[in-house]
């Protein structure tokens, strides 16, 4: 299976305010690369106190960081032709759309899937399906609410779910999760 898991952290409630992006690339059902970018959001230097309390990223951390449009081509190349998976994918897809719209960039034709939906099909007995809860259930340690770490845990949880569901190819993902796969 080939897919990429992504995660965004945002500076404010605005969908275009990405301040960190993590992407984890899975090829042949193996994690081959995880990359993280700090991003200077359009709101810079303003960051919401609530958002900072969640991820700990401060305006000073991104003062010399590139803007989203400066990293997008590298990100897009890494994601090219693969299914995108995110934990609470509607949020991450919304941030990706918000950033692309803000910079007037073309939205790629991309299918995405939420790993929460995948987890609910795989472990329907769990009381909670947050990333932290799933990581604890599978004894995966990580630095929660940092984009690269969250993306990698999303990829690991997805791989475990596919294994539990006996899904071994992208075609099988499409067939099994057909109604849950969305278009960017």
């Amino acid at each position: 299976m080939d897919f990429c898991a992504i995660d965004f952290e945002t500076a404010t409630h605005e969908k275009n305010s990405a301040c960190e992006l993590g992407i984890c690339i899975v090829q042949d059902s193996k994690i081959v690369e995880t990359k993280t970018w700090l991003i200077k959001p359009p709101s810079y230097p303003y960051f919401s106190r609530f958002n900072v309390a969640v991820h700990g990223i401060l305006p000073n951390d991104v003062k010399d960081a590139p803007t989203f449009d400066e990293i997008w081509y590298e990100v897009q190349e890494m994601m090219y032709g693969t299914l995108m998976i995110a934990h609470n994918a509607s949020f991450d897809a919304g941030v990706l759309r918000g950033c692309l719209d803000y910079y007037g960039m073309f939205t790629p034709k991309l299918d995405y899937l939420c790993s929460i939906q995948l987890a609910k099909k795989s472990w329907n007995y769990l009381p909670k399906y947050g990333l932290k809860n799933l990581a604890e259930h599978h004894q995966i340690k990580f630095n929660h609410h940092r984009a690269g770490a969250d993306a990698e845990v999303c990829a690991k949880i997805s791989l475990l779910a596919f294994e539990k569901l006996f899904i071994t190819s992208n075609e099988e993902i499409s067939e099994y999760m057909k109604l849950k796969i969305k278009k960017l």
Side-chain angles (χ1 to χ4, degrees):
M1 275 180 299
D2 299 330
F3 64 90
C4 65
I6 72 159
D7 184 74
F8 280 102
E9 300 300 332
T10 56
T12 71
H13 70 282
E14 296 288 331
K15 291 291 186 201
N16 65 13
S17 73
C19 62
E20 189 175 48
L21 168 59
I23 185 167
C24 180
I25 304 299
V26 174
Q27 292 174 342
D28 296 324
S29 301
K30 290 180 183 57
I31 292 172
V32 295
E33 183 179 5
T34 301
K35 185 155 182 178
T36 307
W37 296 264
L38 283 170
I39 301 167
K40 185 188 284 187
S43 66
Y44 179 84
Y46 175 74
F47 274 53
S48 157
R49 283 185 323 218
F50 170 78
N51 293 52
V52 171
V54 170
H55 52 59
I57 300 167
L58 298 167
N60 203 39
D61 296 328
V62 301
K63 74 177 189 317
D64 298 321
T67 55
F68 178 83
D69 60 321
E70 294 173 317
I71 66 162
W72 172 240
Y73 295 103
E74 182 182 0
V75 172
Q76 187 177 18
E77 201 170 280
M78 291 177 79
M79 297 170 71
Y80 182 76
T82 67
L83 174 68
M84 180 178 93
I85 300 179
H87 209 72
N88 189 15
S90 60
F91 170 80
D92 295 286
V95 173
L96 180 53
R97 262 190 237 104
C99 290
L100 291 166
D101 289 350
Y102 180 84
Y103 289 103
M105 301 173 90
F106 175 74
T107 302
K109 289 186 187 325
L110 193 64
D111 289 339
Y112 69 90
L113 176 64
C114 182
S115 54
I116 293 173
Q117 302 302 318
L118 203 49
K120 285 180 176 179
K121 284 192 176 283
S122 303
W123 305 286
N124 61 0
Y125 50 84
L126 294 176
K128 294 182 180 175
Y129 293 91
L131 198 59
K132 185 178 181 205
N133 301 91
L134 288 166
E136 285 172 2
H137 178 75
H138 293 287
Q139 296 155 355
I140 301 168
K141 294 186 182 338
F142 73 117
N143 185 6
H144 195 26
H145 291 301
R146 289 311 300 259
D150 284 5
E152 192 164 302
V153 169
C154 175
K156 288 176 180 177
I157 296 290
S158 298
L159 286 167
L160 289 167
F162 292 141
E163 189 178 310
K164 180 148 176 57
L165 296 168
F166 301 103
I167 294 174
T168 59
S169 70
N170 283 56
E171 292 76 26
E172 289 175 6
I173 296 170
S174 296
E175 211 171 282
Y176 189 80
M177 300 297 291
K178 190 183 325 188
L179 299 175
K180 301 293 184 188
I181 294 176
K182 308 279 187 229
K183 298 238 179 263
L184 190 67

